[in-house]
Amino acid sequence: MSAAYLLRRLAAILIVLLIVSLTVFSITQILPGNAAVMILGEYATPAQLQALELKLGLDQPWYIQYWRWFSGMLSGDWGVSMRLSQPVAALIGEAFWRSAALALASLATVTLIAIPLGILAALKRGTIVDLVIGLFAYIGTAVPEFVTATLLLVFLAGPDRGFLPAGGFAPFSEGIGAALSHVVLPAATLSLILTAHIARQVRSEMSEVLSSDYIRAARLKGLSERSVVLRHALRNAMAPAVAVISLDIGYLLGGILVVEEVFAWPGLGRLIIYALQNRDLPVIQAATLVLAFTYALSNLVSDIVIARLDPRVRYA
């Protein structure tokens, strides 16, 4: 992978962020209502509203307002929340790391479970093991997050069970056990669909690779089955799987909104829902850009990983 390719991809990310920022800013501008009214309330006097509009620059043309907001985003000045009266950067920063911790726990679970399941299904193709894993994959992809979350809450966090906390967040300062116990249910909910999806992808790719000529040649050379699977087949089968995982990160970012709300996890998804309910425009705009940047960056990382896994992939 050349440096020119990386520079082009970084330029593409900037263009995507520019388009997303224009879209988000336009949508928030055409919404009914006025930011000054939202801050001061319906009973503010016209003089108070006019003074605040002058202070916030709401009397300026839209493109000046947009540039002021976008340049502020680039310089780290993300404004102040209209409802919480706190710096937006601090609010999003704190919520982002909590969501990132939840997403990483889910991805780690998916990687540890989905890839071995996909390999096992490919190796046992046509057997009862393959059938059971396939059935799990179909069920996993068909069940929505809120159904999974409800079932987990009923069976593992019900009033008469209480194996795990029903919701909330515990920092590591309260102990590793308390922190991890709060992660289990939301991470399991997010992981189920991804595990099923990626297991099917790995099973499909592995089945194709195991049927190829070079795998047959490797077996004829007398290599052990372990060496054939892990050194020759898995490497080539993982490149498409990594592409799917990177695409699933987009799903993960969307699914977090539902899961964090169900489990009262104080992450970025819950903050966005709160901002939408209260029409907190600075938070909505900044959080959307953060999500878009995270998704674009994950795609860039996946391209790099795919190029490393599969030498046939060439990026000029």
Side-chain angles (χ1 to χ4, degrees):
M1 182 178 295
S2 65
Y5 172 78
L6 283 176
L7 290 176
R8 284 202 300 272
R9 287 303 310 271
L10 291 174
I13 290 176
L14 291 178
I15 293 173
V16 168
L17 291 179
L18 184 63
I19 294 173
V20 171
S21 67
L22 275 169
T23 305
V24 172
F25 186 81
S26 302
I27 292 174
T28 53
Q29 289 297 304
I30 62 177
L31 287 174
N34 183 293
V37 176
M38 295 179 200
I39 296 173
L40 296 178
E42 298 178 358
Y43 301 103
T45 64
Q48 289 174 322
L49 292 174
Q50 185 178 13
L52 185 58
E53 286 176 353
L54 289 172
K55 180 181 177 181
L56 297 176
L58 299 178
D59 59 326
Q60 299 294 321
W62 70 269
Y63 51 86
I64 294 179
Q65 294 184 47
Y66 167 75
W67 174 247
R68 183 178 297 171
W69 168 71
F70 189 67
S71 59
M73 289 292 298
L74 294 178
S75 64
D77 180 12
W78 295 6
V80 177
S81 166
M82 292 179 178
R83 295 297 180 186
L84 301 174
S85 301
Q86 295 180 33
V88 174
L91 282 172
I92 291 182
E94 186 177 4
F96 177 82
W97 289 116
R98 289 172 180 167
S99 292
L102 184 56
L104 288 175
S106 302
L107 281 178
T109 305
V110 168
T111 304
L112 291 174
I113 296 176
I115 294 176
L117 278 181
I119 296 173
L120 182 61
L123 293 175
K124 302 292 184 183
R125 188 172 41 177
T127 66
I128 186 67
V129 175
D130 184 24
L131 180 64
V132 171
I133 294 175
L135 185 62
F136 161 76
Y138 280 117
I139 294 174
T141 51
V143 180
E145 297 99 342
F146 68 90
V147 175
T148 305
T150 304
L151 291 174
L152 290 176
L153 284 172
V154 169
F155 288 106
L156 297 177
D160 55 341
R161 296 177 177 84
F163 300 118
L164 292 166
F169 168 82
F172 279 104
S173 59
E174 295 183 9
I176 295 178
L180 293 180
S181 66
H182 284 80
V183 175
V184 172
L185 293 184
T189 303
L190 282 172
S191 301
L192 181 61
I193 292 180
L194 294 181
T195 299
H197 189 201
I198 294 172
R200 289 182 61 187
Q201 182 68 29
V202 173
R203 189 259 185 203
S204 174
E205 297 296 333
M206 278 294 290
S207 297
E208 184 178 344
V209 171
L210 289 172
S211 303
S212 60
D213 292 338
Y214 78 93
I215 292 296
R216 282 194 289 271
R219 284 172 172 155
L220 290 174
K221 288 179 181 177
L223 295 178
S224 66
E225 190 64 18
R226 178 189 179 88
S227 178
V228 169
V229 172
L230 296 181
R231 293 185 56 188
H232 298 276
L234 184 59
R235 184 184 181 91
N236 291 329
M238 279 306 298
V242 170
V244 173
I245 291 173
S246 69
L247 293 176
D248 282 342
I249 290 177
Y251 158 77
L252 194 62
L253 296 175
I256 274 180
L257 270 70
V258 177
V259 172
E260 287 186 351
E261 185 65 15
V262 172
F263 290 101
W265 183 269
L268 191 57
R270 199 154 189 245
L271 179 62
I272 291 174
I273 292 175
Y274 174 84
L276 288 171
Q277 291 172 338
N278 292 278
R279 300 193 55 192
D280 198 338
L281 299 184
V283 175
I284 296 172
Q285 293 168 335
T288 306
L289 270 189
V290 169
L291 287 178
F293 177 76
T294 305
Y295 185 66
L297 191 62
S298 70
N299 274 274
L300 175 63
V301 172
S302 78
D303 285 345
I304 295 173
V305 173
I306 290 171
R308 295 287 297 175
L309 287 173
D310 190 350
R312 296 171 299 177
V313 178
R314 290 289 181 266
Y315 298 99

